[in-house]
Amino acid sequence: ISLKNDNVELSAKGNQASLKLTFDNGIPDRDNSNATINARVTIPESEEGRSAGAFVEIMPSAFTIKGKDWQIHPATIAYDGSATSISHFKLQQELQLLTVDGTISDRITDTLNMRMQDFDISMADALMAEPLGLKGSLTGNGKAVALLADDYGMLMSLKGKGIAIKNGKKIIISQE
């Protein structure tokens, strides 16, 4: 991921911090991409006085990728030292949607669920140091189990529409 003209503002009091990340990748050949992402971070202390993980509340935020305005809906991310739980993470741009819920760990009982609706994959190019020439959209669901384990599992049911990847001289294209 490549972010240009980035800035992080942090204000802290006790075990809480407010965080604001901004960037502007105003690269003419890749369209305008910028963001203001707001979050509140809480770092609880254990009985021994050490950090016991972190709790992140993502506040309503917005960003622009390739000239399209996206919204980040309120969500939470919690890390307890062995697992990361994500609740209600949702990116939306008109009818495009990406949602993520679940837990990332090495335990077989923990799953991470994802849903995409007409998700334009070309937006990823605007954030890459070396773009892949991604085009098209994806719709469907995915589930990952024990993502941090050596024998993790993934199951995806995605439908691509106009998918193209230009990698050097090769162009890979799928039709619906």
PDB file of all heavy atoms in Angstrom, residues 79-107:
ATOM      1  N   TYR A  79      -8.310  -6.381  19.773  1.00  0.00           N
ATOM      2  CA  TYR A  79      -7.160  -7.294  19.789  1.00  0.00           C
ATOM      3  C   TYR A  79      -6.879  -7.648  21.240  1.00  0.00           C
ATOM      4  O   TYR A  79      -6.740  -6.767  22.087  1.00  0.00           O
ATOM      5  CB  TYR A  79      -5.940  -6.624  19.148  1.00  0.00           C
ATOM      6  CG  TYR A  79      -4.695  -7.459  19.257  1.00  0.00           C
ATOM      7  CD1 TYR A  79      -4.556  -8.626  18.519  1.00  0.00           C
ATOM      8  CD2 TYR A  79      -3.664  -7.097  20.112  1.00  0.00           C
ATOM      9  CE1 TYR A  79      -3.420  -9.414  18.624  1.00  0.00           C
ATOM     10  CE2 TYR A  79      -2.520  -7.869  20.224  1.00  0.00           C
ATOM     11  CZ  TYR A  79      -2.404  -9.028  19.473  1.00  0.00           C
ATOM     12  OH  TYR A  79      -1.285  -9.805  19.586  1.00  0.00           O
ATOM     13  N   ASP A  80      -6.804  -8.948  21.531  1.00  0.00           N
ATOM     14  CA  ASP A  80      -6.585  -9.373  22.917  1.00  0.00           C
ATOM     15  C   ASP A  80      -5.237 -10.056  23.151  1.00  0.00           C
ATOM     16  O   ASP A  80      -5.024 -10.676  24.183  1.00  0.00           O
ATOM     17  CB  ASP A  80      -7.717 -10.293  23.379  1.00  0.00           C
ATOM     18  CG  ASP A  80      -7.721 -11.653  22.683  1.00  0.00           C
ATOM     19  OD1 ASP A  80      -6.782 -11.946  21.908  1.00  0.00           O
ATOM     20  OD2 ASP A  80      -8.671 -12.422  22.920  1.00  0.00           O
ATOM     21  N   GLY A  81      -4.329  -9.969  22.207  1.00  0.00           N
ATOM     22  CA  GLY A  81      -3.020 -10.595  22.344  1.00  0.00           C
ATOM     23  C   GLY A  81      -2.897 -11.880  21.537  1.00  0.00           C
ATOM     24  O   GLY A  81      -1.800 -12.283  21.179  1.00  0.00           O
ATOM     25  N   SER A  82      -4.012 -12.536  21.263  1.00  0.00           N
ATOM     26  CA  SER A  82      -3.959 -13.769  20.475  1.00  0.00           C
ATOM     27  C   SER A  82      -4.940 -13.766  19.307  1.00  0.00           C
ATOM     28  O   SER A  82      -4.829 -14.581  18.401  1.00  0.00           O
ATOM     29  CB  SER A  82      -4.245 -14.985  21.361  1.00  0.00           C
ATOM     30  OG  SER A  82      -5.571 -14.943  21.847  1.00  0.00           O
ATOM     31  N   ALA A  83      -5.902 -12.857  19.323  1.00  0.00           N
ATOM     32  CA  ALA A  83      -6.909 -12.823  18.268  1.00  0.00           C
ATOM     33  C   ALA A  83      -7.343 -11.381  18.010  1.00  0.00           C
ATOM     34  O   ALA A  83      -7.273 -10.524  18.896  1.00  0.00           O
ATOM     35  CB  ALA A  83      -8.122 -13.664  18.655  1.00  0.00           C
ATOM     36  N   THR A  84      -7.801 -11.141  16.783  1.00  0.00           N
ATOM     37  CA  THR A  84      -8.356  -9.841  16.399  1.00  0.00           C
ATOM     38  C   THR A  84      -9.788 -10.065  15.954  1.00  0.00           C
ATOM     39  O   THR A  84     -10.041 -10.857  15.041  1.00  0.00           O
ATOM     40  CB  THR A  84      -7.545  -9.222  15.244  1.00  0.00           C
ATOM     41  OG1 THR A  84      -6.186  -9.077  15.654  1.00  0.00           O
ATOM     42  CG2 THR A  84      -8.104  -7.861  14.858  1.00  0.00           C
ATOM     43  N   SER A  85     -10.723  -9.384  16.613  1.00  0.00           N
ATOM     44  CA  SER A  85     -12.133  -9.492  16.265  1.00  0.00           C
ATOM     45  C   SER A  85     -12.589  -8.218  15.576  1.00  0.00           C
ATOM     46  O   SER A  85     -12.306  -7.118  16.038  1.00  0.00           O
ATOM     47  CB  SER A  85     -12.980  -9.724  17.514  1.00  0.00           C
ATOM     48  OG  SER A  85     -12.629 -10.960  18.098  1.00  0.00           O
ATOM     49  N   ILE A  86     -13.300  -8.392  14.476  1.00  0.00           N
ATOM     50  CA  ILE A  86     -13.807  -7.271  13.684  1.00  0.00           C
ATOM     51  C   ILE A  86     -15.323  -7.363  13.680  1.00  0.00           C
ATOM     52  O   ILE A  86     -15.893  -8.416  13.349  1.00  0.00           O
ATOM     53  CB  ILE A  86     -13.266  -7.332  12.243  1.00  0.00           C
ATOM     54  CG1 ILE A  86     -11.739  -7.309  12.251  1.00  0.00           C
ATOM     55  CG2 ILE A  86     -13.845  -6.199  11.401  1.00  0.00           C
ATOM     56  CD1 ILE A  86     -11.102  -7.636  10.919  1.00  0.00           C
ATOM     57  N   SER A  87     -15.990  -6.265  14.046  1.00  0.00           N
ATOM     58  CA  SER A  87     -17.455  -6.247  14.088  1.00  0.00           C
ATOM     59  C   SER A  87     -18.005  -5.108  13.252  1.00  0.00           C
ATOM     60  O   SER A  87     -17.613  -3.955  13.429  1.00  0.00           O
ATOM     61  CB  SER A  87     -17.953  -6.080  15.525  1.00  0.00           C
ATOM     62  OG  SER A  87     -17.524  -7.159  16.318  1.00  0.00           O
ATOM     63  N   HIS A  88     -18.881  -5.448  12.344  1.00  0.00           N
ATOM     64  CA  HIS A  88     -19.656  -4.487  11.545  1.00  0.00           C
ATOM     65  C   HIS A  88     -18.816  -3.606  10.628  1.00  0.00           C
ATOM     66  O   HIS A  88     -19.222  -2.481  10.323  1.00  0.00           O
ATOM     67  CB  HIS A  88     -20.523  -3.602  12.445  1.00  0.00           C
ATOM     68  CG  HIS A  88     -21.360  -4.375  13.404  1.00  0.00           C
ATOM     69  ND1 HIS A  88     -22.377  -5.213  13.015  1.00  0.00           N
ATOM     70  CD2 HIS A  88     -21.309  -4.469  14.758  1.00  0.00           C
ATOM     71  CE1 HIS A  88     -22.921  -5.766  14.074  1.00  0.00           C
ATOM     72  NE2 HIS A  88     -22.294  -5.346  15.138  1.00  0.00           N
ATOM     73  N   PHE A  89     -17.647  -4.076  10.163  1.00  0.00           N
ATOM     74  CA  PHE A  89     -16.842  -3.268   9.244  1.00  0.00           C
ATOM     75  C   PHE A  89     -17.551  -3.230   7.893  1.00  0.00           C
ATOM     76  O   PHE A  89     -17.886  -4.268   7.317  1.00  0.00           O
ATOM     77  CB  PHE A  89     -15.436  -3.841   9.089  1.00  0.00           C
ATOM     78  CG  PHE A  89     -14.558  -2.972   8.229  1.00  0.00           C
ATOM     79  CD1 PHE A  89     -13.945  -1.854   8.769  1.00  0.00           C
ATOM     80  CD2 PHE A  89     -14.373  -3.252   6.887  1.00  0.00           C
ATOM     81  CE1 PHE A  89     -13.147  -1.036   7.979  1.00  0.00           C
ATOM     82  CE2 PHE A  89     -13.588  -2.447   6.094  1.00  0.00           C
ATOM     83  CZ  PHE A  89     -12.976  -1.331   6.640  1.00  0.00           C
ATOM     84  N   LYS A  90     -17.781  -2.003   7.395  1.00  0.00           N
ATOM     85  CA  LYS A  90     -18.542  -1.846   6.164  1.00  0.00           C
ATOM     86  C   LYS A  90     -18.031  -0.659   5.361  1.00  0.00           C
ATOM     87  O   LYS A  90     -18.000   0.460   5.864  1.00  0.00           O
ATOM     88  CB  LYS A  90     -20.020  -1.648   6.509  1.00  0.00           C
ATOM     89  CG  LYS A  90     -20.945  -1.498   5.331  1.00  0.00           C
ATOM     90  CD  LYS A  90     -22.379  -1.386   5.856  1.00  0.00           C
ATOM     91  CE  LYS A  90     -23.374  -1.051   4.815  1.00  0.00           C
ATOM     92  NZ  LYS A  90     -24.736  -0.906   5.366  1.00  0.00           N
ATOM     93  N   LEU A  91     -17.611  -0.928   4.124  1.00  0.00           N
ATOM     94  CA  LEU A  91     -17.250   0.110   3.164  1.00  0.00           C
ATOM     95  C   LEU A  91     -18.371   0.178   2.143  1.00  0.00           C
ATOM     96  O   LEU A  91     -18.819  -0.866   1.650  1.00  0.00           O
ATOM     97  CB  LEU A  91     -15.960  -0.221   2.420  1.00  0.00           C
ATOM     98  CG  LEU A  91     -14.675  -0.364   3.199  1.00  0.00           C
ATOM     99  CD1 LEU A  91     -13.539  -0.741   2.242  1.00  0.00           C
ATOM    100  CD2 LEU A  91     -14.346   0.917   3.913  1.00  0.00           C
ATOM    101  N   GLN A  92     -18.800   1.396   1.799  1.00  0.00           N
ATOM    102  CA  GLN A  92     -19.910   1.513   0.856  1.00  0.00           C
ATOM    103  C   GLN A  92     -19.709   2.703  -0.066  1.00  0.00           C
ATOM    104  O   GLN A  92     -19.284   3.774   0.353  1.00  0.00           O
ATOM    105  CB  GLN A  92     -21.217   1.659   1.625  1.00  0.00           C
ATOM    106  CG  GLN A  92     -22.438   1.631   0.756  1.00  0.00           C
ATOM    107  CD  GLN A  92     -23.716   1.560   1.575  1.00  0.00           C
ATOM    108  OE1 GLN A  92     -23.726   1.829   2.767  1.00  0.00           O
ATOM    109  NE2 GLN A  92     -24.798   1.210   0.920  1.00  0.00           N
ATOM    110  N   GLN A  93     -20.022   2.483  -1.343  1.00  0.00           N
ATOM    111  CA  GLN A  93     -20.019   3.540  -2.356  1.00  0.00           C
ATOM    112  C   GLN A  93     -21.222   3.275  -3.242  1.00  0.00           C
ATOM    113  O   GLN A  93     -21.225   2.359  -4.043  1.00  0.00           O
ATOM    114  CB  GLN A  93     -18.716   3.510  -3.179  1.00  0.00           C
ATOM    115  CG  GLN A  93     -18.459   4.736  -4.019  1.00  0.00           C
ATOM    116  CD  GLN A  93     -19.153   4.704  -5.382  1.00  0.00           C
ATOM    117  OE1 GLN A  93     -19.306   3.670  -6.001  1.00  0.00           O
ATOM    118  NE2 GLN A  93     -19.584   5.861  -5.830  1.00  0.00           N
ATOM    119  N   GLU A  94     -22.272   4.065  -3.025  1.00  0.00           N
ATOM    120  CA  GLU A  94     -23.551   3.848  -3.699  1.00  0.00           C
ATOM    121  C   GLU A  94     -23.959   2.389  -3.521  1.00  0.00           C
ATOM    122  O   GLU A  94     -24.163   1.952  -2.405  1.00  0.00           O
ATOM    123  CB  GLU A  94     -23.477   4.290  -5.159  1.00  0.00           C
ATOM    124  CG  GLU A  94     -23.276   5.793  -5.301  1.00  0.00           C
ATOM    125  CD  GLU A  94     -23.210   6.268  -6.737  1.00  0.00           C
ATOM    126  OE1 GLU A  94     -23.354   5.445  -7.673  1.00  0.00           O
ATOM    127  OE2 GLU A  94     -23.026   7.481  -6.924  1.00  0.00           O
ATOM    128  N   LEU A  95     -24.044   1.586  -4.596  1.00  0.00           N
ATOM    129  CA  LEU A  95     -24.473   0.190  -4.469  1.00  0.00           C
ATOM    130  C   LEU A  95     -23.322  -0.776  -4.203  1.00  0.00           C
ATOM    131  O   LEU A  95     -23.546  -1.955  -3.948  1.00  0.00           O
ATOM    132  CB  LEU A  95     -25.237  -0.245  -5.722  1.00  0.00           C
ATOM    133  CG  LEU A  95     -26.538   0.517  -5.992  1.00  0.00           C
ATOM    134  CD1 LEU A  95     -27.183   0.028  -7.288  1.00  0.00           C
ATOM    135  CD2 LEU A  95     -27.510   0.387  -4.828  1.00  0.00           C
ATOM    136  N   GLN A  96     -22.080  -0.287  -4.273  1.00  0.00           N
ATOM    137  CA  GLN A  96     -20.926  -1.141  -3.977  1.00  0.00           C
ATOM    138  C   GLN A  96     -20.796  -1.321  -2.473  1.00  0.00           C
ATOM    139  O   GLN A  96     -21.027  -0.389  -1.714  1.00  0.00           O
ATOM    140  CB  GLN A  96     -19.638  -0.514  -4.497  1.00  0.00           C
ATOM    141  CG  GLN A  96     -19.557  -0.413  -5.986  1.00  0.00           C
ATOM    142  CD  GLN A  96     -18.195   0.102  -6.374  1.00  0.00           C
ATOM    143  OE1 GLN A  96     -17.210  -0.603  -6.225  1.00  0.00           O
ATOM    144  NE2 GLN A  96     -18.141   1.339  -6.848  1.00  0.00           N
ATOM    145  N   LEU A  97     -20.383  -2.527  -2.087  1.00  0.00           N
ATOM    146  CA  LEU A  97     -20.347  -2.820  -0.664  1.00  0.00           C
ATOM    147  C   LEU A  97     -19.281  -3.867  -0.361  1.00  0.00           C
ATOM    148  O   LEU A  97     -19.084  -4.807  -1.123  1.00  0.00           O
ATOM    149  CB  LEU A  97     -21.721  -3.370  -0.265  1.00  0.00           C
ATOM    150  CG  LEU A  97     -22.004  -3.696   1.176  1.00  0.00           C
ATOM    151  CD1 LEU A  97     -22.056  -2.421   1.999  1.00  0.00           C
ATOM    152  CD2 LEU A  97     -23.329  -4.424   1.281  1.00  0.00           C
ATOM    153  N   LEU A  98     -18.605  -3.671   0.766  1.00  0.00           N
ATOM    154  CA  LEU A  98     -17.694  -4.676   1.313  1.00  0.00           C
ATOM    155  C   LEU A  98     -17.937  -4.706   2.816  1.00  0.00           C
ATOM    156  O   LEU A  98     -17.859  -3.676   3.481  1.00  0.00           O
ATOM    157  CB  LEU A  98     -16.220  -4.317   1.046  1.00  0.00           C
ATOM    158  CG  LEU A  98     -15.186  -5.172   1.776  1.00  0.00           C
ATOM    159  CD1 LEU A  98     -15.193  -6.595   1.238  1.00  0.00           C
ATOM    160  CD2 LEU A  98     -13.811  -4.564   1.661  1.00  0.00           C
ATOM    161  N   THR A  99     -18.279  -5.883   3.344  1.00  0.00           N
ATOM    162  CA  THR A  99     -18.458  -6.026   4.789  1.00  0.00           C
ATOM    163  C   THR A  99     -17.536  -7.122   5.307  1.00  0.00           C
ATOM    164  O   THR A  99     -17.252  -8.094   4.602  1.00  0.00           O
ATOM    165  CB  THR A  99     -19.917  -6.387   5.174  1.00  0.00           C
ATOM    166  OG1 THR A  99     -20.249  -7.662   4.642  1.00  0.00           O
ATOM    167  CG2 THR A  99     -20.886  -5.340   4.675  1.00  0.00           C
ATOM    168  N   VAL A 100     -17.074  -6.942   6.543  1.00  0.00           N
ATOM    169  CA  VAL A 100     -16.203  -7.922   7.201  1.00  0.00           C
ATOM    170  C   VAL A 100     -16.640  -8.045   8.655  1.00  0.00           C
ATOM    171  O   VAL A 100     -16.817  -7.037   9.340  1.00  0.00           O
ATOM    172  CB  VAL A 100     -14.713  -7.500   7.123  1.00  0.00           C
ATOM    173  CG1 VAL A 100     -13.827  -8.512   7.836  1.00  0.00           C
ATOM    174  CG2 VAL A 100     -14.271  -7.315   5.686  1.00  0.00           C
ATOM    175  N   ASP A 101     -16.815  -9.280   9.106  1.00  0.00           N
ATOM    176  CA  ASP A 101     -17.166  -9.589  10.496  1.00  0.00           C
ATOM    177  C   ASP A 101     -16.475 -10.883  10.887  1.00  0.00           C
ATOM    178  O   ASP A 101     -16.384 -11.793  10.063  1.00  0.00           O
ATOM    179  CB  ASP A 101     -18.683  -9.811  10.643  1.00  0.00           C
ATOM    180  CG  ASP A 101     -19.446  -8.550  10.922  1.00  0.00           C
ATOM    181  OD1 ASP A 101     -19.300  -8.013  12.033  1.00  0.00           O
ATOM    182  OD2 ASP A 101     -20.193  -8.111  10.033  1.00  0.00           O
ATOM    183  N   GLY A 102     -16.022 -10.958  12.114  1.00  0.00           N
ATOM    184  CA  GLY A 102     -15.476 -12.217  12.598  1.00  0.00           C
ATOM    185  C   GLY A 102     -14.173 -12.050  13.335  1.00  0.00           C
ATOM    186  O   GLY A 102     -13.808 -10.943  13.746  1.00  0.00           O
ATOM    187  N   THR A 103     -13.452 -13.173  13.481  1.00  0.00           N
ATOM    188  CA  THR A 103     -12.231 -13.196  14.285  1.00  0.00           C
ATOM    189  C   THR A 103     -11.085 -13.827  13.514  1.00  0.00           C
ATOM    190  O   THR A 103     -11.246 -14.863  12.878  1.00  0.00           O
ATOM    191  CB  THR A 103     -12.478 -13.967  15.591  1.00  0.00           C
ATOM    192  OG1 THR A 103     -13.559 -13.336  16.287  1.00  0.00           O
ATOM    193  CG2 THR A 103     -11.252 -13.974  16.480  1.00  0.00           C
ATOM    194  N   ILE A 104      -9.926 -13.161  13.608  1.00  0.00           N
ATOM    195  CA  ILE A 104      -8.687 -13.660  13.008  1.00  0.00           C
ATOM    196  C   ILE A 104      -7.828 -14.222  14.135  1.00  0.00           C
ATOM    197  O   ILE A 104      -7.492 -13.494  15.077  1.00  0.00           O
ATOM    198  CB  ILE A 104      -7.925 -12.519  12.294  1.00  0.00           C
ATOM    199  CG1 ILE A 104      -8.778 -11.916  11.192  1.00  0.00           C
ATOM    200  CG2 ILE A 104      -6.593 -13.023  11.754  1.00  0.00           C
ATOM    201  CD1 ILE A 104      -8.213 -10.616  10.623  1.00  0.00           C
ATOM    202  N   SER A 105      -7.511 -15.508  14.053  1.00  0.00           N
ATOM    203  CA  SER A 105      -6.646 -16.150  15.052  1.00  0.00           C
ATOM    204  C   SER A 105      -6.105 -17.447  14.461  1.00  0.00           C
ATOM    205  O   SER A 105      -6.334 -17.745  13.293  1.00  0.00           O
ATOM    206  CB  SER A 105      -7.423 -16.440  16.342  1.00  0.00           C
ATOM    207  OG  SER A 105      -8.214 -17.596  16.178  1.00  0.00           O
ATOM    208  N   ASP A 106      -5.453 -18.241  15.298  1.00  0.00           N
ATOM    209  CA  ASP A 106      -4.978 -19.556  14.854  1.00  0.00           C
ATOM    210  C   ASP A 106      -5.923 -20.672  15.314  1.00  0.00           C
ATOM    211  O   ASP A 106      -5.659 -21.842  15.109  1.00  0.00           O
ATOM    212  CB  ASP A 106      -3.558 -19.820  15.347  1.00  0.00           C
ATOM    213  CG  ASP A 106      -3.440 -19.820  16.860  1.00  0.00           C
ATOM    214  OD1 ASP A 106      -4.449 -19.582  17.568  1.00  0.00           O
ATOM    215  OD2 ASP A 106      -2.315 -20.044  17.351  1.00  0.00           O
ATOM    216  N   ARG A 107      -7.049 -20.299  15.925  1.00  0.00           N
ATOM    217  CA  ARG A 107      -8.005 -21.292  16.431  1.00  0.00           C
ATOM    218  C   ARG A 107      -9.000 -21.695  15.340  1.00  0.00           C
ATOM    219  O   ARG A 107      -9.568 -20.839  14.662  1.00  0.00           O
ATOM    220  CB  ARG A 107      -8.754 -20.738  17.641  1.00  0.00           C
ATOM    221  CG  ARG A 107      -7.840 -20.462  18.831  1.00  0.00           C
ATOM    222  CD  ARG A 107      -8.627 -19.973  20.038  1.00  0.00           C
ATOM    223  NE  ARG A 107      -9.277 -18.695  19.816  1.00  0.00           N
ATOM    224  CZ  ARG A 107      -8.780 -17.518  20.211  1.00  0.00           C
ATOM    225  NH1 ARG A 107      -7.624 -17.453  20.852  1.00  0.00           N
ATOM    226  NH2 ARG A 107      -9.448 -16.403  19.985  1.00  0.00           N
TER     227      ARG A 107
END
